Amino acid sequence: MTAVPLISLFDALLADLDGVVYAGPHAIPGAVESLQQLAGLGIGLGYVTNNASRTPAQVAEHLRELGAPAEDQQVVSSSQAAAELLASLLAPGARVLITGSPALAQEIELVGLTPVSSQDDDPVAVVQGFNPAIGWKDLAEAAYVVAAGALWVATNTDMSIPQARGIAPGNGTLVAAVAAATGQTPRVAGKPEAPLFHAAAKRLAADRPLVVGDRLDTDILGGNNAGFATVAVLTGVDTRETILAARTAERPDYVINSLTDLHTPYPAVEHIDGTYRCGTSTARVSGDTVHVRGSDSDLDSWRAACAAWWAAIPEAATASAPKLEWLSH
């Protein structure tokens, strides 16, 4: 076990929002207090979100309402990452067709580019982000410009978005419509691609950031793609079982129950002759079965199981769930 709290090994925390800081309108127990502690430790804090329909200021305001520390500049959105990506590829003042929200247009303007709304304005690029008001005409306009050879950047490609009434189509489905019409593929700025995380780390001047998220396919994959350390938190989408089965690219460096665990030492996993020990729990792999000696309610058992299974299958292109045999101590 490290003698110091896990978070003290890093100079910044890059936190996902939904499923990590809050669930719906309410803060996750312990999350706000855990984030408040960071400032006293001299550890930077950034919030990393794929939602391109709200401005960072609106996101920060919501966080402050929950009691979390949040200045506007601490929120890094996929719309900002898309704007920075475009600014690095285009000449100052270049015209960019906005297929998205006014918040996205604002970010494009802030990096010195010119947002436009029609092919008639001669755009050299298209940026596409989520906006519930987007209609067929907007997608058609984007398709005309993309098909003509313009640079195409998507803020993110989440296929679904949770709404009060259920699961609705996300930006990825709207991007897919333009892709199907044009045969082209956009560059993606948001999770799970690296630019969003690099933009957040740059803003905090962080050399050793820790990415925390509840989703393997966006947060953990994105943090890994960026070359940063990653920690999966069990307060949102992914579970102990899905983390154990994760493909190589989506495996986190750490697994914690909640953000509160950031402020406690992280137990080391020891390996001796094919047996992996974490705390008082051990795990061994035999064929497609992980034999775990410990309790399935003890996260250390799952940490040991992950270490054993991932060592047995170091290169997994797809998720692969082992059988689990639980043995008493």
Side-chain angles (χ1 to χ4, degrees):
M1 180 177 288
T2 57
V4 298
L6 174 60
I7 192 59
S8 68
L9 302 175
F10 303 94
D11 60 1
L13 183 71
L14 304 182
D16 177 48
L17 293 172
D18 197 13
V20 176
V21 180
Y22 50 70
H26 304 295
I28 288 169
V32 169
E33 294 80 3
S34 298
L35 296 172
Q36 289 171 339
Q37 287 179 257
L38 296 176
L41 300 172
I43 293 166
L45 172 60
Y47 299 100
V48 183
T49 175
N50 259 359
N51 190 333
S53 65
R54 294 193 296 172
T55 66
Q58 290 169 326
V59 175
E61 183 180 7
H62 176 51
L63 286 165
R64 289 193 295 270
E65 288 171 356
L66 296 176
E71 299 296 330
D72 294 359
Q73 69 270 15
Q74 286 177 273
V75 178
V76 187
S77 68
S78 59
S79 56
Q80 289 178 318
E84 290 189 20
L85 179 59
L86 284 163
S88 72
L89 299 170
L90 302 174
R95 298 181 180 193
V96 179
L97 179 72
I98 308 297
T99 308
S101 68
L104 178 57
Q106 178 183 323
E107 297 300 339
I108 294 300
E109 210 163 24
L110 286 172
V111 296
L113 300 173
T114 305
V116 298
S117 57
S118 169
Q119 182 189 33
D120 297 337
D121 296 315
D122 297 322
V124 296
V126 176
V127 63
Q128 187 169 357
F130 183 72
N131 180 2
I134 280 179
W136 178 87
K137 289 184 178 179
D138 303 294
L139 297 177
E141 206 70 31
Y144 302 147
V145 179
V146 169
L151 173 66
W152 182 24
V153 170
T155 59
N156 66 296
T157 50
D158 296 50
M159 296 305 287
S160 62
I161 184 168
Q163 298 288 287
R165 295 165 60 194
I167 299 297
N171 195 52
T173 59
L174 303 175
V175 168
V178 177
T182 63
Q184 300 300 309
T185 303
R187 294 183 64 159
V188 181
K191 308 174 196 177
E193 305 306 320
L196 181 60
F197 295 93
H198 287 152
K202 180 181 176 183
R203 189 173 302 183
L204 295 171
D207 297 317
R208 302 184 319 282
L210 176 64
V211 174
V212 58
D214 68 307
R215 293 186 65 126
L216 299 178
D217 61 348
T218 54
D219 307 317
I220 304 306
L221 176 58
N224 289 343
N225 284 337
F228 298 155
T230 54
V231 54
V233 64
L234 297 170
T235 50
V237 171
D238 274 294
T239 64
R240 295 166 177 81
E241 290 82 2
T242 60
I243 292 169
L244 176 63
R247 63 191 183 99
T248 305
E250 296 180 0
R251 291 171 179 172
D253 296 297
Y254 307 97
V255 184
I256 59 177
N257 283 307
S258 70
L259 291 185
T260 304
D261 288 350
L262 291 173
H263 297 283
T264 61
Y266 193 85
V269 177
E270 299 170 341
H271 173 218
I272 303 174
D273 295 333
T275 296
Y276 291 79
R277 176 182 295 277
C278 185
T280 60
S281 301
T282 62
R284 290 182 67 91
V285 174
S286 174
D288 62 354
T289 302
V290 180
H291 306 275
V292 186
R293 194 169 293 281
S295 169
D296 64 355
S297 62
D298 182 357
L299 188 53
D300 282 351
S301 297
W302 291 92
R303 289 165 172 154
C306 285
W309 182 241
W310 296 349
I313 306 180
E315 299 298 330
T318 58
S320 175
K323 296 174 184 174
L324 284 167
E325 182 185 7
W326 292 94
L327 308 167
S328 59
H329 280 297

